[in-house]
Amino acid sequence: MHSFRRNDSRVTLGVLALAFVATLIGGALVGLLAAGAGDLSGAVSAFDPYLLRVARFTLWQAALSTLLSVLPALFVARALSRHPRFFGRTLILQLFAVPLALPALVAALGVLALYGRAGYFAGILSSATGSDWPGIYGLSGILVAHVFFNLPLATRLFLEALQAVPTDQWRLASQLGMGPAATFRLIEGPALRQALPGIAGLVFMLCITSFTIVLTLGGGPAASTLEVAIYQALRFDFDPARAVALTALQIALTAVVVTLLARLGADMTGESSLSVAPRRYTTPSVAGTAFDAALIVAALAFVAGPMLATVAAGLQADLARLVGEASVQKAALTSILLAFVSAVLAAVLSLALAMARRALALARRNGPRSMLEFFTDTGAGFVLVVPPIVIGAGWFLALRHLGTVFGAAPVMVAAVNAVMAMPFAIRAVRPAYDAASERHERLAAQLGIAGWNRFRLIDWPVLRRPLATAFAFAMALSLGDLGVIALFGSDSMQTLPYLLLARMGSYRTADAAGLALILGLVCLLLVFAADRLGKERTA
């Protein structure tokens, strides 16, 4: 038995990472409190019927989105589980992972290309309603887009819960001759019920903090959520008092939801890793197989539709002209540079927290966790309680007194996007570092190898792929994000999502479709690269 130094340099790096996150979030909260204190009566009076209506709509659309996403996902996951081997099953599961990689703005354009006033289904919908199809803006558009994102996610998570059922239970069900009803009641039902609260809570959290979807498809004040109302209060009305009131309510709601999710044990990153399906010994009936096939085909059509519409609409644009435009080139270069910095920062911060957590765990041995160890373990999740748009709003209010709001845009976008990606990045880094430490910690201590030499000689060979996975995923998230740049963007500071939104606002739909195709393909390539690196690491 050997001792570990509590003054380990890894702990110092973890403290610095926590200080960065705390400064970013704390600075935003200070900015909000200062603005509220400067106009206390205005902030109090902002709690008016409008604010309550926005809060009510936020909860209502999140509840409806959760119901419409989770309920069908139960049946689709069961259908996929009942047929563990059929042609195209792996492709379907891969396709269900694509919405997780698509920027929300790209998906919104795909929904509009299908169901909008001039969408591919406009004629069919006009015939069905007996009048001109008005489009899908408002609550209906928000719900369709949220289900597009969350139905595949919930399906994969439910399927993961079903695949965790021990093979012995399926074998016993076959030996006892259980039918579909008994199998569902005794085996599938309990597994799904156990997973349901956490999955439903996660989807609700994603919908309650939705910004880009509501901004793009909400269609006006009647369909605004708290985050969109914060953006409108700052960028259009410039009403800091209302922004503070909206932000306080948003933080309160997300804190309650995150606390409930933690109690339910939900996966806060919404990531699922599907292994090869275990062998099942029960055979569905012909009617059951036909019903399952219909469910899978319907879900596949719903998820694939906006993707195909995005590709079709994008290919109709003059891509060569778009790529040659100076504004597009500048926005693309800005996006790549900011995403690169954000991804590097996310990977470094995640690694620092993982290293510090491991060092502190080794130092305490079997004693209770210290507060520092607790924060290194949970620090990456702070952004879930204080969403990016809230952080951006706080710093927007703080920096306006210095006259550097738009000058600080690159720093704010890179920093907030890095912290936003940390919950995902740390999932790739922490298991690999813990495993490497388990193998090499004792030998490194005996040889006196620490600090940079330890990282270069021992840790880096093991962590290259996990860090590359974290980097690629964080870069994809940053490239497609609209939240912070929507507040800090300007004519001189544009990213591809910001430019895409501007082209939509000026009704240059063909250009917007082309930019969406380019942005979506780049983000998908990055996420697929991250997925491939992760699989090679665990193979």
Side-chain angles (χ1 to χ4, degrees), residues 106-155:
V106 174
L109 280 176
V111 170
L112 288 175
L114 273 186
Y115 308 106
R117 183 188 296 270
Y120 294 109
F121 289 166
I124 299 174
L125 294 169
S126 295
S127 300
T129 58
S131 60
D132 289 339
W133 176 244
I136 199 171
Y137 288 104
L139 179 60
S140 58
I142 294 170
L143 294 178
V144 169
H146 280 168
V147 175
F148 166 78
F149 275 108
N150 296 314
L151 171 64
L153 169 64
T155 298

Side-chain angles (χ1 to χ4, degrees), residues 313-370:
L315 292 176
Q316 293 176 8
D318 190 348
L319 295 177
R321 177 185 58 81
L322 276 177
V323 172
E325 284 187 15
S327 59
V328 174
Q329 293 176 354
K330 182 180 178 182
L333 180 60
T334 301
S335 293
I336 291 172
L337 289 176
L338 290 178
F340 179 84
V341 173
S342 177
V344 170
L345 188 57
V348 170
L349 292 173
S350 299
L351 177 61
L353 290 180
M355 294 168 65
R357 170 183 170 273
R358 178 65 178 171
L360 290 168
L362 292 171
R364 70 172 167 86
R365 299 197 181 110
N366 297 322
R369 287 201 305 176
S370 64

Side-chain angles (χ1 to χ4, degrees), residues 172-329:
L172 182 60
S174 176
Q175 292 171 349
L176 295 176
M178 286 186 184
T183 302
F184 180 79
R185 186 178 70 256
L186 299 175
I187 299 178
E188 295 170 327
L192 292 173
R193 281 197 302 271
Q194 185 177 6
L196 177 60
I199 295 174
L202 175 62
V203 172
F204 186 84
M205 179 68 183
L206 294 173
C207 295
I208 205 175
T209 57
S210 178
F211 172 73
T212 304
I213 291 296
V214 181
L215 178 66
T216 309
L217 298 175
S224 288
T225 57
L226 288 169
E227 294 204 0
V228 172
I230 293 169
Y231 164 74
Q232 292 170 340
L234 290 177
R235 286 302 301 257
F236 296 111
D237 303 330
F238 197 73
D239 187 349
R242 183 170 295 279
V244 170
L246 289 163
T247 302
L249 190 54
Q250 175 70 33
I251 293 175
L253 286 178
T254 52
V256 170
V257 175
V258 168
T259 301
L260 291 176
L261 282 173
R263 290 184 177 275
L264 294 171
D267 180 2
M268 302 302 290
T269 63
E271 186 179 335
S272 63
S273 177
L274 294 174
S275 59
V276 178
R279 181 181 177 187
R280 290 183 58 139
Y281 295 86
T282 56
T283 304
S285 64
V286 175
T289 299
F291 180 72
D292 292 341
L295 279 175
I296 294 171
V297 170
L300 180 62
F302 181 82
V303 173
M307 300 181 199
L308 295 176
T310 300
V311 174
L315 292 176
Q316 293 176 8
D318 190 348
L319 295 177
R321 177 185 58 81
L322 276 177
V323 172
E325 284 187 15
S327 59
V328 174
Q329 293 176 354

Side-chain angles (χ1 to χ4, degrees), residues 161-172 187 191 278-279 281:
L162 289 172
Q163 290 182 177
V165 174
T167 306
D168 291 344
Q169 292 189 19
W170 300 119
R171 184 184 294 111
L172 182 60
I187 299 178
R279 181 181 177 187
Y281 295 86

